[in-house]
Amino acid sequence: MKRIILLSDTHGLFDDAIERHIDGCDEIWHAGDIGSLSVVNRLSQFAPLRAVHGNIDDAVIRHQFPQFQLFSCEGVAVMMTHIGGYPGKYSHEAYNKITNSGFLNLPAKVKLFVCGHSHILRVIYDKHFDFLTLNPGAVGVEGFHQVRTLLKFSLDDGNISDLDVVNIPRVFKT
């Protein structure tokens, strides 16, 4: 069993509010718009990091992290990207990947679709494609969101469980 912390849209921010939720996690997943290598370096100190680059990330981060990640964790096949959308409204690129047979290199069909970008936390089961879509919202302070959010969940023997939504108050500059 692995406990995962999923975050997105840090936009260069890593603070105590994020750090306090990492304890006890076996892996950290970042769904893009990392914003700086200092965030990568800090996150990597706590647990193994899986990430994709986002639209605001520079060439250095884009070189280190791909646009799409396809992997299996604890028997759960995962597709992660930054600009992915949600059931019925997938981005063109994500839809093409979802419907493409390129996932055949995974031991099982995709069961978890992870994305960021919207700054809106979403947990939606896609009945058409038979997978769970997770968007952790935004944990940074750049953007329109009123609350910083991230997700924590467990993966074990092909199952996704123990999903927790973490809300972090956003302090606005005056």
Side-chain angles (χ1 to χ4, degrees), residues 68 79 81 83-84 90-99 113:
F68 285 89
M79 177 177 147
T81 191
I83 301 176
Y90 293 111
S91 72
H92 180 72
E93 285 184 294
Y95 184 81
N96 285 342
K97 291 275 188 190
I98 291 165
T99 58
F113 177 75

Side-chain angles (χ1 to χ4, degrees), residues 31-101:
D33 277 2
I34 299 164
S36 74
L37 280 180
S38 65
V39 171
V40 169
N41 295 335
R42 290 285 305 279
L43 290 171
S44 297
Q45 292 174 359
F46 296 95
L49 173 65
R50 296 182 194 253
V52 293
H53 71 258
N55 56 295
I56 65 111
D57 291 318
D58 64 17
V60 174
I61 291 174
R62 287 172 185 259
H63 180 73
Q64 188 168 348
F65 300 105
Q67 180 181 2
F68 285 89
Q69 283 243 29
L70 302 171
F71 58 93
S72 184
C73 182
E74 294 295 309
V76 175
V78 180
M79 177 177 147
M80 181 167 46
T81 191
H82 181 60
I83 301 176
Y86 54 91
K89 297 280 185 182
Y90 293 111
S91 72
H92 180 72
E93 285 184 294
Y95 184 81
N96 285 342
K97 291 275 188 190
I98 291 165
T99 58
N100 186 333
S101 298

Side-chain angles (χ1 to χ4, degrees), residues 55-154:
N55 56 295
I56 65 111
D57 291 318
D58 64 17
V60 174
I61 291 174
R62 287 172 185 259
H63 180 73
Q64 188 168 348
F65 300 105
Q67 180 181 2
F68 285 89
Q69 283 243 29
L70 302 171
F71 58 93
S72 184
C73 182
E74 294 295 309
V76 175
V78 180
M79 177 177 147
M80 181 167 46
T81 191
H82 181 60
I83 301 176
Y86 54 91
K89 297 280 185 182
Y90 293 111
S91 72
H92 180 72
E93 285 184 294
Y95 184 81
N96 285 342
K97 291 275 188 190
I98 291 165
T99 58
N100 186 333
S101 298
F103 293 149
L104 297 178
N105 63 330
L106 291 171
K109 113 177 182 39
V110 170
K111 191 170 187 177
L112 182 58
F113 177 75
V114 174
C115 62
H117 185 63
S118 69
H119 292 226
I120 299 169
L121 184 141
R122 286 190 171 106
V123 177
I124 305 172
Y125 182 74
D126 187 319
K127 294 177 187 174
H128 180 75
F129 290 114
D130 189 30
F131 57 60
L132 183 64
T133 302
L134 296 180
N135 183 327
V139 75
V141 295
E142 299 295 324
F144 65 88
H145 56 284
Q146 301 296 303
V147 176
R148 300 166 60 196
T149 55
L150 58 88
L151 295 172
K152 295 169 86 170
F153 56 93
S154 297

